[in-house]
Amino acid sequence: MHIKLLSIAAAVALAFAGVAQAQSTTTTTADKPRAETKVDRKAKKADDERIEADAKAAKAKCGSMKGNEKDICQAEAKANEKLAKAENEQKYEPSERHARKVEEVKAEGKYEVAKERCESNKDGVHDCKKQAKADYDKAKAEIKSKHAKSDAKRNRTAGTGSTTSTNR
């Protein structure tokens, strides 16, 4: 009888200790229930499928066009698809890296479409493409300067080892 009483008391004490510890810990994003994570994954997958369907529809719309008009349409469809995918990543996994990726994809898409539009400009194709490249380079420089602080932080925390060899 005495052993039973001691084992019950020990079990109750352990149960209360577990509850007290659970109440004192802070919750983080890693502590979220799995069901909530699955909902996010399902929603992200649904958005990815919607993006794919929209891209197919946009590319199919280009099928009836001819010549450079078709090329421009396809470039726009491709750029919009890439942008939607990058924005979807940012939506479900927000980070400085994904935000930068969205901006880079926007600039690249504008550049690709501008190059295709230049093809229809028979007189100044070279000048048009040169201007498109200058605009693209300017956009890239703005993105780089905007995110320079986070890049410097990432470079500081990346690796502590040196990649250069020293002669001794």
Side-chain angles (χ1 to χ4, degrees):
M1 174 93 175
H2 188 13
I3 294 175
K4 277 187 177 180
L5 190 58
L6 283 176
S7 61
I8 291 173
V12 170
L14 287 173
F16 282 122
V19 171
Q21 181 182 7
Q23 289 177 348
S24 67
T25 59
T26 59
T27 58
T28 62
T29 56
D31 295 336
K32 288 183 181 177
R34 287 210 177 261
E36 188 177 326
T37 304
K38 286 183 181 178
V39 171
D40 287 344
R41 287 184 184 167
K42 288 179 182 177
K44 183 179 178 188
K45 186 175 181 182
D47 282 350
D48 285 340
E49 290 171 357
R50 179 190 49 80
I51 291 167
E52 292 289 330
D54 290 348
K56 276 187 178 182
K59 289 175 184 174
K61 185 183 86 171
C62 300
S64 63
M65 297 178 182
K66 301 274 188 231
N68 193 46
E69 185 178 309
K70 182 176 182 176
D71 294 340
I72 293 170
C73 181
Q74 288 174 338
E76 286 175 342
K78 193 173 182 179
N80 288 338
E81 179 184 12
K82 285 182 179 179
L83 178 59
K85 285 181 178 181
E87 287 174 339
N88 201 36
E89 279 294 317
Q90 174 64 6
K91 177 181 175 183
Y92 287 101
E93 298 174 29
S95 69
E96 191 67 32
R97 175 184 256 166
H98 288 144
R100 181 179 179 149
K101 181 73 173 173
V102 168
E103 293 176 28
E104 288 173 346
V105 168
K106 277 183 188 177
E108 289 169 10
K110 285 181 183 178
Y111 176 56
E112 292 300 321
V113 171
K115 283 194 315 186
E116 287 300 329
R117 289 186 194 280
C118 289
E119 293 295 324
S120 64
N121 186 359
K122 300 295 180 194
D123 298 332
V125 174
H126 180 70
D127 292 336
C128 181
K129 285 187 176 183
K130 193 173 179 181
Q131 181 62 43
K133 178 69 171 156
D135 292 343
Y136 174 63
D137 290 341
K138 181 181 175 188
K140 278 179 56 175
E142 288 174 2
I143 292 167
K144 188 174 182 177
S145 67
K146 180 178 178 184
H147 295 278
K149 190 179 227 180
S150 64
D151 288 345
K153 182 178 179 182
R154 186 173 38 226
N155 289 340
R156 279 194 312 267
T157 59
T160 57
S162 175
T163 57
T164 60
S165 61
T166 57
N167 294 332
R168 291 185 179 188

